[in-house]
Amino acid sequence: MPDRTKLKVLEEHGVRIAKTCGTCKHSKISRGSFWGECALATYQHEKHEGKRQMPAHLSFWCPSFQYGDQQLMDLGEYTQLVSWVSPPPMQITASKQRKP
């Protein structure tokens, strides 16, 4: 549990809980891992038989995002940093390509 001064500093710096697979109810990501599975979709892997769950990563996001009750409970008092409003989409521009 964070102390009040820690939460205050985080809030002053605009820290918010991201809407990612890490906080989405559709994902299953094991503690200590960056990767897991998403319950929303399956796909046929080219090298394996049968369908597999769509991969989920702590930093992934999709339009079907929904905060998960368990994920929010795991955050404890940090849920105060949850932003219930989606930020505007970012414009990503290509950076200079590296020369081989």
Side-chain angles (χ1 to χ4, degrees), residues 6-98:
K6 185 186 297 185
L7 274 173
K8 182 180 177 191
V9 169
L10 292 169
E11 288 173 343
E12 287 172 356
H13 283 82
V15 173
R16 294 293 176 259
I17 303 298
K19 293 182 176 184
T20 67
C21 289
T23 54
C24 182
K25 76 176 194 174
H26 303 293
S27 68
K28 276 189 184 176
I29 298 175
S30 299
R31 290 189 191 271
S33 177
F34 294 103
W35 289 97
E37 295 178 339
C38 177
L40 289 179
T42 59
Y43 71 101
Q44 179 62 51
H45 194 286
E46 292 178 356
K47 296 180 184 178
H48 303 284
E49 291 184 29
K51 294 201 175 222
R52 294 176 165 229
Q53 288 302 126
M54 181 168 65
H57 187 274
L58 285 176
S59 63
F60 286 0
W61 173 88
C62 83
S64 298
F65 173 87
Q66 293 179 13
Y67 279 114
D69 292 337
Q70 184 60 51
Q71 289 85 343
L72 291 175
M73 281 181 38
D74 290 347
L75 289 168
E77 291 186 36
Y78 286 109
T79 57
Q80 295 177 43
L81 302 174
V82 167
S83 174
W84 297 104
V85 178
S86 294
M90 292 181 10
Q91 181 74 23
I92 300 175
T93 56
S95 60
K96 293 181 182 179
Q97 291 184 343
R98 295 183 188 169

